[in-house]
Amino acid sequence: GNWVLDHGRVPVTDPFSFTQPHAPWLAAEWGTGVVFAALNHAVGLKGIVFLCGLMIAALITVMLRTMLSAGADLLLSILVALLASNALSLHYHARPHLFTLLFLAIAAWIITKDRQGCTSQARTKWICFLPPLTALWVNLHPGFAILFAYLGVLVVGSALEWWLGKGSRAATLRYAGLTAACGVTSFINPFGWKLHAEILSYFQAKGMTDLIQEFQAPTFRTSPQLYFMVFLFAGLALCGLFVREKRLVEPLLILSLAYASLTSVRHSTVFVVMVAPMIATNTVL
């Protein structure tokens, strides 16, 4: 971030390496680096901490709003949101991934609202925010890739619901078009398609996934992971209800995220962000 502010451009080669100076390099989180560096210059580290605190508060607020928009009970929604905050505290750090958690919660709120059977005008109004949100997201944190996993499940699930007579062709085409639009705006970054290739290669690097603790399976020995376990069991229990009602988007999403979170503790927070509103909405007191 400091380097970008000093030079007025985003580096495409490594300006910091001693052993490989000027080697090709993608600063995937350059936008967050600039924001944090600017805050540090202006008010010091407390500015960065304050911004991250705001993002955490906004994350929980958006999740609560998603629950209420879907018709969940107010008291139950507050309880689930507070429990979700305990599970998410695993990643309550002043790091770029907070943008991914917040933007994913916003995306889930928009899509949940869009699938509630609102009027066409209301759906169009909110759904149009996702492509520009993607363009911002892609320059802040590489976790934007989870959005396309979400949209992919949404398209496949909508198509299956249409095939079973529960959904509609229009919904399937609508979300396929949304996925394409977000895909186009994801190339609005200093590196173009190379950023996507870099993210793919990152997950294929066994040395990183095997050695970095965040990419290893959860141990369920800490408080946040125990809260995650509660959400995991509750989410899996709901899958039968969804399948019985011929709602396939939700169980596909729960099962895919459950697999990801059980192989990498880093994805447990993503699971909670996505599944907590489903639990609050489909639980009867």
Side-chain angles (χ1 to χ4, degrees), residues 221-272:
R221 291 192 178 94
T222 64
S223 179
Q225 292 186 28
L226 291 175
Y227 280 105
F228 158 64
M229 182 190 294
V230 173
F231 281 95
L232 178 64
F233 287 153
L236 293 175
L238 285 176
C239 287
L241 172 65
F242 290 132
V243 172
R244 186 174 58 189
E245 296 177 351
K246 295 183 180 180
R247 295 165 58 186
L248 300 184
V249 173
E250 290 84 356
L252 286 175
L253 191 61
I254 291 172
L255 292 175
S256 58
L257 289 176
Y259 168 78
S261 59
L262 288 174
T263 56
S264 171
V265 68
R266 184 180 187 126
H267 297 118
S268 63
T269 51
V270 173
F271 181 92
V272 173

Side-chain angles (χ1 to χ4, degrees), residues 199-218:
I199 295 172
L200 182 61
S201 66
Y202 185 84
F203 286 103
Q204 293 176 338
K206 299 297 292 182
M208 304 188 79
T209 55
D210 291 343
L211 298 177
I212 297 177
Q213 186 176 10
E214 285 188 347
F215 287 104
Q216 297 177 6

Side-chain angles (χ1 to χ4, degrees), residues 39-40 43-50:
L39 284 172
N40 188 48
V43 293
L45 289 176
K46 59 181 178 290
I48 299 174
V49 174
F50 182 73

Side-chain angles (χ1 to χ4, degrees), residues 108-174:
W109 171 63
I110 292 174
I111 292 174
T112 299
K113 185 176 179 64
D114 191 73
R115 299 182 69 224
Q116 285 303 303
C118 301
T119 64
S120 297
Q121 291 181 347
R123 289 200 301 267
T124 302
K125 173 184 176 182
W126 291 109
I127 213 72
C128 288
F129 282 98
L130 277 181
L133 180 69
T134 304
L136 175 62
W137 193 348
V138 75
N139 290 288
L140 293 171
H141 188 253
F144 73 90
I146 193 64
L147 173 65
F148 292 97
Y150 180 19
L151 293 175
V153 170
L154 181 62
V155 172
V156 173
S158 297
L160 291 174
E161 289 177 356
W162 171 35
W163 180 62
L164 293 174
K166 179 70 174 180
S168 67
R169 177 174 178 268
T172 303
L173 295 177
R174 177 182 181 81

